[in-house]
Amino acid sequence: MEESPGLARNLAELRQTFRSGKTRGLEWRKAQLRAILKLLDENEDSIFDALQQDLGKHPVEAYRDEVGVLKKSATYALASVEKWMAPKKGQIPLLFFPARAEVLPEPLGLVLILASWNFPISLALDPVIGAISAGNTVVLKPSELSPASSSFLANTVPRYLDSAALKVIEGGHDAAEQLLQQKWDKIFFTGSSRVGRIIMAAAANHLTPVTLELGGKCPTILDSLSISDLEVAIKRIVGGKWGLCSGQACIGIDYVLVEEKFASILVELLKKCIKAFFGDSMPNLKNLCRIVSKSHFDRVSNLLGDPRVAASIVHGGSWDEQNLMIEPTILLDPPLDADIMSEEIFGPLLPIITLNKIEESIEFINLRPKPLAIHAFTKNERFKKKLLSETSSGSITFNDAIVQFVADSLPFGGVGESGIGRYHGKYSFDTFSHEKAVLQRSFYLDLEPRYPPWNDFKLDFIKLAYKFDYLGLLLLLSGLRRIFKRSN
Amino acid sequence: MAFFDAAAMMKGLRGTYASGRTRSYEWRVSQLKALLKLASFHEKEIVDALRSDLSKPELESFLQEIALLKESCGLALKELHRWMAPEKVKTMMTTFPSSAEIVPEPLGVVLVISAWNYPFLLSLDPVIGAIAAGNAVVLKPSEIAPATSSVLAKLLGQYMDCSAVKVVEGAIPETTALLEQKWDKIFYTGNGKVGRIVSAAAAKHLTPLVLELGGKSPVIVDSNVDLKVAARRIIAGKWGCNNGQACVSPDYAITTKEFAPDLIDTLRSELEKFYGKDPLKSNDLSRIVNSNHFNRLSKLLDDDKISGKIIHGGQKDIANLKIAPTILLDVPGDSLIMEEEIFGPLLPILTVNNVEDSFNIIKSKDKPLAAYLFTNNKKLKENFISNISAGGLVVNDTTMHLAVPTLPFGGVGESGMGAYHGKFSFDAFSHKKAVLLRSFAGDLSSRYPPYTPKKLNLLKALVNGSLLGILRALLGWHD
């Protein structure tokens, strides 16, 4: 694949910028973070427009999930970056005296961020905030499936941020391939597990470390609840499914697990809530994103093509191909071997899987790849503990959905098929840093027994040193130890 | 075609892990105690195996392998409760009311691939981390240290819970078979070439990695230093560490043209004190591990580009695979010895006009696993610490950072990814699960559709943290 000369030039410039040391200073980093805040403040309407074009995303959803998230993230980084940059002292055993040990975070160098299309602004700029706070130079490649947002970023970012240190490169598959052939100091990817494997394989050629924010089928467990709690839970489930980019979200609720006897009331309540939030029928749907592209539309609608799956639809099921809209759809017990239950849906279809007892959800989940998030609505403390210790997932949230995304003190990332690495808050800074160990010693008190030629005395000394048996050492050094010595 | 069934072994281990057996504190403690016993009661066997594999002096075997391993075990036993405990974290306005914590959990079934130079330590130290974190683990020791591999297989078979801790001996076919399986983590110690192979295999299964690789770890020697101490510490880090066959050994040295003669003289005299006039006869030096590596190192010395540059040593004993401590002066940058990691008893010394010039040399190469500076100049020291990137740095000593358990030990760039030692070992083999507990009370309507301008205002006010803004937005509409 012929490399574009523009790319080589860009990369050379970025590496030169990094070598110059410019991105390492606190002031530069803070200036860039402030610039991001300014960009968001001054371009809010343009951002809303781009998201409306790319996904039919309502401004409130856009603010809540994209602009607001970024503002919070940049503000937090701005307030904390100096603290994050400071070395952390480590304790040293007395034996090493005099010495000083610390861990010093340093930037990795030149990093590549590959963003996804469903939250095309926040999933592009949030990792950028981490990369910049950590003092790196960055290439950002937005997703070509959200072209208005990609274009917005390519045009606007250079007007606010230091373009000698941060470049936006637009493009599709070809551009990505070219980028992946380069040697990066880190690659940060948000997207599917399938592409995650391709990224990781490319990174392996250069021993490039990666953070992969992938997805999976995020299950939601619904235990029996009081009516008032159930009403809140329903809102959170509906919000966590369709209120989040119409189901096209990595931590979005993929399917629900519930006891058989509650299935019908669950369906009824879901229907009511969907109507209240989004409207009652296809032509009247509001506040709901559309499917991002024709190919994803086909993918999602094909999930309903399986007649066994179609037969399990209890609400919705219709679509508007021209406008790429799919109605919020509920399915009751579709067959577990159908695609809809083996692949991540990433769309507005909600399977409800019924169980005899809610505890069976643990086994159900464990038979499948580890998801990015588990949401469990329950007030049963024992069940909570069991879920916590017997299932594995990137995160687990009790009695809500999605909201862990904005908890900056919690690491956000997957495990197993759902990803490698994590970010948000300080974790963003860490993910783009190398934690360098630094040990400082002095010339004083050089210990003779460290060096050859070896003899019994030195062996004794070292054995005692390893046990930090300072008394023993003193006795040995003063020649008295032999008197007190027992067998080894 | 491997003659052991990796898939069947994996199935068994997954069954063990799924049973929950490895997760309890008691199980982990029992295994760690077993490792401690194994290291304590079989010292002689281990030392003998290391002598067979590497002619490693007893004191090095004890000091650098057994003692470090026991220390690591002891620390894990002492701290395990603390390491396993969930960490409560602050929650913010945006998720009020809620409580949050980070819960460490095991990854599942993990693979540790070890190296030949510290075959005992580098096998069991990662295993300590894997077990402490509650995983089932397969250890593949290096076949280039066969006596140690054999002792490990025997002793772990005797002491450990074999349903969860297994040793697979073998070479390329066995390793390939292992790498085809889906692991929850792979921990590899070795070189960059094989590191890439391991990474490619891991990518197929999205398996996270720790790669402890190597590189050319430089040592810079400034002029205003206690030269005797500096020389001894350089010698201890180079020839006193498996005769230079260690990932953190000083690979090459840089000093000023002016100071070089003093440095060389002191190194020579201290070398003689340590190893005598005929180092090939000293029992305090490891041999070269095998004829492959012996030939590799010989080639470095036979390189035309460095003829005439050997100023000390250079003697070889091919029958006993011994090479004497060798110093070279001002070899050209494009010589073989300066292009790859030496991993042997040859120390090139490069000279510069000013000591600061050494930084450019180091920066022009791949990031090493370690970098060392001997100096009393505070500014130079600070410059070094801020501007030289490496896995770890030591000022006025060599290799000692390995022994400080509160320092993460790992590389960056070509020298590796990830870190371990102390709590970092536990973390390397854990998943830190984010847990958020919310209540049904305090449900914020503005989260949900239908979306209205008022809801937008409230969200903005929340994000801005403006209490007044929140109040106004709240009063502006009621649910």
Side-chain angles (χ1 to χ4, degrees):
Chain A
M1 157 133 298
E2 181 91 358
E3 190 185 285
S4 79
L7 176 59
R9 208 179 33 242
N10 278 331
L11 295 181
E13 185 185 355
L14 290 165
R15 288 218 176 270
Q16 177 51 34
T17 303
F18 184 75
R19 270 198 300 272
S20 76
K22 181 191 208 192
T23 63
R24 320 243 351 213
L26 176 63
E27 284 322 308
W28 181 88
R29 304 184 202 196
K30 282 175 123 167
Q32 299 308 297
L33 293 170
R34 276 186 216 110
I36 292 182
L37 286 169
K38 198 154 175 260
L39 183 160
L40 295 167
D41 269 333
E42 294 177 0
N43 295 279
E44 202 172 277
D45 286 337
S46 305
I47 293 174
F48 288 161
D49 279 342
L51 292 168
Q52 176 65 42
Q53 272 186 64
D54 283 334
L55 292 151
K57 196 174 280 200
H58 190 285
V60 172
E61 210 183 305
Y63 189 86
R64 187 195 68 199
D65 298 341
E66 306 227 33
V67 178
V69 163
L70 287 172
K71 281 182 134 168
K72 178 192 58 61
S73 198
T75 305
Y76 185 51
L78 197 51
S80 316
V81 64
E82 190 171 0
K83 196 163 56 95
W84 293 343
M85 281 168 72
K88 281 197 301 269
K89 287 222 176 317
Q91 257 198 325
I92 318 188
L94 188 57
L95 192 67
F96 288 81
F97 181 84
R100 202 171 115 183
E102 57 191 24
V103 176
L104 181 64
E106 59 177 30
L108 292 165
L110 175 57
V111 307
L112 173 65
I113 295 173
L114 300 164
S116 166
W117 50 260
N118 52 347
F119 298 88
I121 305 289
S122 60
L123 293 182
L125 294 181
D126 209 359
V128 165
I129 287 171
I132 285 180
S133 315
N136 298 280
T137 50
V138 182
V139 167
L140 166 65
K141 184 190 145 338
S143 169
E144 73 279 17
L145 287 182
S146 47
S149 303
S150 176
S151 192
F152 168 81
L153 289 167
N155 293 328
T156 320
V157 165
R159 288 196 286 124
Y160 289 81
L161 278 86
D162 183 349
S163 52
L166 166 57
K167 296 200 188 290
V168 181
I169 294 184
E170 292 194 87
H173 183 74
D174 288 348
E177 239 189 75
Q178 268 198 44
L179 287 170
L180 285 174
Q181 281 167 10
Q182 309 306 316
K183 180 179 168 75
W184 305 94
D185 298 303
K186 178 117 191 183
I187 298 178
F188 185 107
F189 168 75
T190 307
S192 72
S193 309
R194 186 185 66 83
V195 179
R197 283 171 163 78
I198 297 171
I199 308 276
M200 201 171 168
N205 288 328
H206 297 290
L207 293 174
T208 297
V210 299
T211 295
L212 303 175
E213 294 276 331
L214 310 175
K217 292 184 79 60
C218 295
T220 293
I221 301 168
L222 183 60
D223 195 3
S224 75
L225 298 169
S226 70
I227 277 295
S228 61
D229 285 346
L230 185 57
E231 276 172 6
V232 176
I234 294 292
K235 285 203 272 185
R236 291 176 177 180
I237 292 173
V238 172
K241 177 73 180 187
W242 295 283
L244 206 62
C245 210
S246 196
Q248 300 164 103
C250 53
I251 42 167
I253 292 172
D254 189 278
Y255 63 99
V256 173
L257 293 161
V258 73
E259 272 177 16
E260 232 260 284
K261 55 187 190 255
F262 298 123
S264 50
I265 183 172
L266 170 60
V267 172
E268 283 317 303
L269 289 173
L270 285 172
K271 281 179 174 175
K272 257 182 69 193
C273 189
I274 289 171
K275 184 164 161 196
F277 284 6
F278 306 112
D280 59 7
S281 58
M282 198 65 225
N284 301 331
L285 284 181
K286 281 219 263 293
N287 300 312
L288 187 70
C289 284
R290 65 151 208 271
I291 307 304
V292 69
S293 68
K294 179 78 172 55
S295 72
H296 275 279
F297 177 90
D298 289 340
R299 180 187 62 76
V300 177
S301 47
N302 283 341
L303 293 175
L304 299 176
D306 182 335
R308 304 172 299 160
V309 172
S312 68
I313 296 176
V314 293
H315 177 84
S318 54
W319 56 65
D320 171 357
E321 186 163 344
Q322 196 173 25
N323 292 311
L324 295 180
M325 286 294 288
I326 298 181
E327 192 184 356
T329 300
I330 306 174
L331 305 97
L332 187 54
D333 281 322
L336 296 179
D337 62 347
D339 284 344
I340 199 173
M341 279 312 292
S342 56
E343 300 176 4
E344 186 174 4
I345 296 167
F346 227 68
L349 318 177
L350 180 72
I352 296 175
I353 308 293
T354 61
L355 308 164
N356 286 326
K357 306 211 83 235
I358 199 65
E359 285 78 8
E360 289 163 20
S361 55
I362 293 180
E363 200 194 324
F364 190 95
I365 292 172
N366 285 342
L367 285 171
R368 293 164 169 75
K370 297 176 185 178
L372 186 56
I374 294 177
H375 303 108
F377 292 87
T378 178
K379 288 185 111 163
N380 180 336
E381 291 305 318
R382 253 193 74 236
F383 184 46
K384 275 189 199 170
K385 284 204 170 64
K386 256 190 128 217
L387 270 172
L388 192 50
S389 60
E390 293 180 22
T391 63
S392 182
S393 53
S395 67
I396 180 164
T397 298
F398 290 103
N399 299 331
D400 209 332
I402 319 311
V403 75
Q404 71 272 26
F405 191 77
V406 294
D408 272 342
S409 52
L410 284 175
F412 182 77
V415 62
E417 285 289 318
S418 51
I420 296 177
R422 57 208 189 155
Y423 72 130
H424 284 186
K426 179 169 192 289
Y427 299 105
S428 291
F429 177 90
D430 291 344
T431 212
F432 289 102
S433 298
H434 165 53
E435 307 219 308
K436 185 166 70 180
V438 181
L439 179 64
Q440 297 183 51
R441 297 257 297 150
S442 118
F443 292 102
Y444 302 127
L445 301 187
D446 191 38
L447 288 177
E448 180 73 38
R450 273 181 68 177
Y451 311 111
W454 303 126
N455 54 45
D456 279 342
F457 171 86
K458 291 186 181 181
L459 182 58
D460 265 353
F461 185 99
I462 287 160
K463 286 188 171 180
L464 289 167
Y466 264 105
K467 293 196 223 149
F468 301 115
D469 183 351
Y470 296 109
L471 180 59
L473 281 170
L474 264 161
L475 290 174
L476 177 68
L477 287 168
S478 61
L480 295 172
R481 179 163 156 81
R482 302 267 161 191
I483 301 175
F484 296 97
K485 192 175 165 184
R486 297 278 179 267
S487 70
N488 241 6
Chain B
M1 176 73 161
F3 45 89
F4 91 101
D5 193 340
M9 181 190 70
M10 184 52 121
K11 192 153 173 261
L13 287 165
R14 292 231 168 261
T16 304
Y17 181 73
S19 76
R21 187 192 174 84
T22 62
R23 305 192 59 154
S24 73
Y25 175 77
E26 288 72 25
W27 183 87
R28 305 182 201 195
V29 166
S30 77
Q31 297 304 288
L32 291 170
K33 285 194 173 145
L35 277 172
L36 203 48
K37 266 210 208 136
L38 177 166
S40 304
F41 296 165
H42 296 268
E43 227 176 82
K44 184 169 182 311
E45 250 177 282
I46 296 163
V47 168
D48 286 344
L50 292 168
R51 188 178 301 115
S52 165
D53 284 333
L54 296 150
S55 301
K56 194 171 279 208
E58 180 181 341
L59 214 111
E60 268 188 52
S61 296
F62 178 76
L63 176 62
Q64 295 171 8
E65 301 228 33
I66 299 173
L68 273 177
L69 200 271
K70 284 165 76 167
E71 157 99 359
S72 193
C73 248
L75 183 68
L77 280 164
K78 181 158 160 259
E79 299 289 318
L80 190 59
H81 254 135
R82 215 167 49 86
W83 293 350
M84 282 173 72
E87 180 196 335
K88 281 223 167 326
V89 294
K90 270 190 1 217
T91 52
M92 291 150 158
M93 210 43 242
T94 37
T95 55
F96 179 83
S98 63
S99 73
E101 58 186 20
I102 300 172
V103 175
E105 56 180 31
L107 291 164
V109 181
V110 305
L111 174 63
V112 173
I113 301 176
S114 171
W116 55 259
N117 58 341
Y118 287 84
F120 182 73
L121 177 70
L122 297 179
S123 296
L124 295 185
D125 208 359
V127 166
I128 288 175
I131 286 177
N135 300 280
V137 54
V138 170
L139 166 66
K140 158 77 190 62
S142 171
E143 68 279 16
I144 296 179
T148 309
S149 175
S150 187
V151 163
L152 283 167
K154 183 177 124 219
L155 293 178
L156 269 82
Q158 250 178 271
Y159 280 82
M160 310 298 285
D161 176 353
C162 298
S163 70
V165 180
K166 292 196 192 292
V167 179
V168 172
E169 293 196 83
I172 293 179
E174 287 74 18
T175 309
T176 307
L178 286 171
L179 286 174
E180 277 165 12
Q181 302 305 310
K182 179 181 170 70
W183 302 92
D184 297 303
K185 185 120 191 183
I186 298 177
F187 186 109
Y188 168 75
T189 306
N191 65 59
K193 185 164 95 55
V194 178
R196 280 166 167 77
I197 296 172
V198 172
S199 295
K204 299 205 171 86
H205 298 290
L206 292 172
T207 296
L209 299 162
V210 172
L211 301 176
E212 295 275 330
L213 309 176
K216 293 183 80 61
S217 299
V219 55
I220 305 171
V221 188
D222 193 10
S223 45
N224 184 19
V225 297
D226 183 333
L227 194 44
K228 189 148 169 261
V229 174
R232 285 169 12 145
R233 290 176 178 181
I234 292 172
I235 294 172
K238 177 82 174 184
W239 296 283
C241 279
N242 208 22
N243 208 12
Q245 299 164 103
C247 52
V248 285
S249 274
D251 184 280
Y252 66 103
I254 312 176
T255 191
T256 57
K257 293 194 184 332
E258 209 188 325
F259 196 59
D262 286 338
L263 175 61
I264 293 167
D265 281 340
T266 315
L267 279 171
R268 279 187 157 139
S269 66
E270 291 301 314
L271 275 170
E272 191 175 312
K273 284 199 202 133
F274 284 19
Y275 305 116
K277 281 202 189 314
D278 190 358
L280 288 177
K281 297 215 163 51
S282 168
N283 282 328
D284 292 334
L285 277 173
S286 294
R287 68 158 201 265
I288 306 306
V289 67
N290 61 22
S291 48
N292 265 348
H293 281 275
F294 185 92
N295 293 336
R296 180 183 62 81
L297 290 163
S298 295
K299 253 184 76 186
L300 296 183
L301 289 174
D302 293 337
D303 183 10
D304 281 335
K305 298 206 171 98
I306 62 149
S307 71
K309 307 281 188 194
I310 300 175
I311 56 164
H312 180 88
Q315 307 99 305
K316 297 186 267 186
D317 173 358
I318 192 168
N320 292 307
L321 293 178
K322 290 208 162 192
I323 297 180
T326 301
I327 303 176
L328 306 95
L329 184 58
D330 281 327
V331 297
D334 62 349
S335 54
L336 286 173
I337 202 173
M338 282 311 292
E339 279 182 353
E340 26 170 282
E341 186 176 2
I342 296 167
F343 225 69
L346 321 176
L347 181 75
I349 300 181
L350 305 178
T351 60
V352 289
N353 289 323
N354 303 306
V355 72
E356 291 82 5
D357 298 338
S358 57
F359 290 0
N360 287 333
I361 297 177
I362 298 172
K363 284 188 191 173
S364 72
K365 295 179 179 319
D366 290 327
K367 296 177 188 178
L369 187 54
Y372 307 110
L373 169 66
F374 285 88
T375 188
N376 275 316
N377 180 334
K378 189 155 178 267
K379 253 191 92 216
L380 187 68
K381 183 180 75 166
E382 281 166 8
N383 196 348
F384 174 73
I385 292 174
S386 316
N387 292 314
I388 297 296
S389 183
L393 302 178
V394 185
V395 177
N396 294 335
D397 210 328
T398 60
T399 73
M400 294 294 275
H401 59 307
L402 269 180
V404 180
T406 47
L407 285 176
F409 181 71
V412 61
E414 285 288 323
S415 52
M417 58 177 80
Y420 74 129
H421 286 186
K423 180 168 191 287
F424 302 102
S425 293
F426 177 89
D427 291 344
F429 289 99
S430 299
H431 167 53
K432 301 296 185 86
K433 185 161 71 180
V435 180
L436 185 65
L437 297 118
R438 294 260 297 154
S439 97
F440 290 104
D443 195 38
L444 198 58
S445 271
S446 58
R447 287 172 58 172
Y448 309 115
Y451 299 127
T452 63
K454 284 171 185 167
K455 289 187 180 181
L456 183 56
N457 285 336
L458 180 56
L459 279 175
K460 287 190 174 186
L462 270 173
V463 167
N464 292 329
S466 138
L467 227 37
L468 195 56
I470 295 172
L471 220 50
R472 276 171 36 202
L474 277 172
L475 292 173
W477 120 102
H478 35 261
D479 197 8

